[in-house]
Amino acid sequence: MAADAIVFDVDDTLYDLAGPYRVAYAEVFASRYDLPVDELFKMSRVHSDEALELLSAGRIDEEDHKVLRVQWTLADWGVEVSREEALTFQRVYAQAQEHIALYPEAVEMLDACAASGVPLGIISNGDAAHQHQKMLRLGLDRWFDEGHMVASGDVGAHKPAQAPFRAMEALLGSSGAGVWYVGDTYETDVIGSKRVGWSCVWVDVRGRVVPAVPERPDKVVHSPAEMRDAVVSLLA
Ligand SMILES: [Mg+2]
């Protein structure tokens, strides 16, 4: 059965966020530490969302959020990072993100979605101004109505909270299992979308650990090409 609507995550789902992370690691930390950068990147996504929870609760500020996600990630490997080092890393990481581009397979996927006429949306965790700037830089306004590109900062609550998903249901005029969510982070994307009764494609390009929770994705894909094919199959 064709999907009623398809909603996408952005970071590390529609483009490769590990590339900018590797650039920043090489420039800031590689000369001093010998750490598994791809594993660091995976944990950084989890810690980023943990810090985002504290930010949205008003317990830390925007700069703390950026510092803590770096410090917590390297602490997993027993490395203590100063605030200054963390901010330097963040600066290089942000600069590297100015050169991101969509996966070619994501472009093909979004072209197919647009041609089918299925309603489309985006829910991306993070600060509203930063996320919207990034969505425009990626050219996502080619496929998505501006009003359907939602940053969690717009809503004041971050995935996996229900509020951003409920806000998207109101925009789309649809809810339930006919609405599909496509995202890479289990803790926010799979758990969040399943808890509101949506269906979910989990994009597990990096071989992440599945947390011990009852929520399970409806489809699992392991590459951008598999993601494209799984989403196109929802259009039939
Ligand atoms: Mg993501």
Side-chain angles (χ1 to χ4, degrees):
M1 210 175 75
D4 297 333
I6 308 177
V7 183
F8 296 89
D9 172 54
V10 176
D11 291 330
D12 218 38
T13 294
L14 298 181
Y15 74 96
D16 173 22
L17 185 57
Y21 195 90
R22 287 191 204 100
V23 168
Y25 180 83
E27 186 166 330
V28 180
F29 292 131
S31 62
R32 276 171 299 156
Y33 311 119
D34 182 19
L35 303 174
V37 64
D38 290 339
E39 295 302 313
L40 285 178
F41 172 71
K42 281 195 261 184
M43 284 315 299
S44 80
R45 301 306 302 151
V46 175
H47 289 313
S48 181
D49 282 308
E50 288 166 355
L52 198 56
E53 287 298 319
L54 298 182
L55 175 64
S56 72
R59 293 171 57 195
I60 60 172
D61 65 20
E62 190 63 48
E63 187 175 289
D64 294 332
H65 168 250
K66 295 182 168 105
V67 168
L68 286 172
R69 64 184 183 178
V70 177
Q71 290 180 329
W72 289 346
T73 300
L74 273 83
D76 288 346
W77 278 265
V79 173
E80 213 175 293
V81 172
S82 72
R83 189 173 185 89
E84 289 65 34
E85 280 180 302
L87 287 170
T88 299
F89 179 87
Q90 172 58 36
R91 196 167 51 245
V92 179
Y93 184 39
Q95 279 165 3
Q97 283 185 53
E98 288 173 14
H99 307 292
I100 53 174
L102 297 173
Y103 289 122
E105 295 88 347
V107 171
E108 294 162 6
M109 172 182 77
L110 294 173
D111 280 343
C113 289
S116 80
V118 68
L120 299 175
I122 285 173
I123 306 172
S124 177
N125 261 5
D127 166 68
H130 177 73
Q131 292 305 104
H132 282 288
Q133 188 186 41
K134 183 159 49 183
M135 291 186 242
L136 292 177
R137 190 184 304 136
L138 286 166
L140 291 171
D141 53 333
R142 185 170 138 198
W143 301 280
F144 297 89
D145 293 344
E146 199 179 330
H148 285 196
M149 295 193 282
V150 171
S152 60
D154 297 326
V155 182
H158 310 289
K159 300 176 290 182
Q162 291 199 8
F165 295 97
R166 297 300 184 205
M168 183 54 65
E169 288 177 346
L171 289 166
L172 295 168
S174 320
S175 60
V179 181
W180 282 77
Y181 193 72
V182 182
D184 70 295
T185 303
Y186 205 103
E187 289 79 358
T188 52
D189 299 336
V190 178
I191 293 177
S193 62
K194 293 307 293 179
R195 282 190 184 159
V196 294
W198 294 10
S199 299
C200 178
V201 178
W202 181 35
V203 183
D204 183 30
V205 172
R206 307 192 191 284
R208 292 170 199 261
V209 175
V210 176
V213 294
E215 292 83 6
R216 288 286 175 257
D218 300 274
K219 291 175 187 277
V220 182
V221 297
H222 299 99
S223 67
E226 285 184 20
M227 170 177 71
R228 174 200 60 208
D229 295 346
V231 169
V232 167
S233 78
L234 302 176
L235 305 173

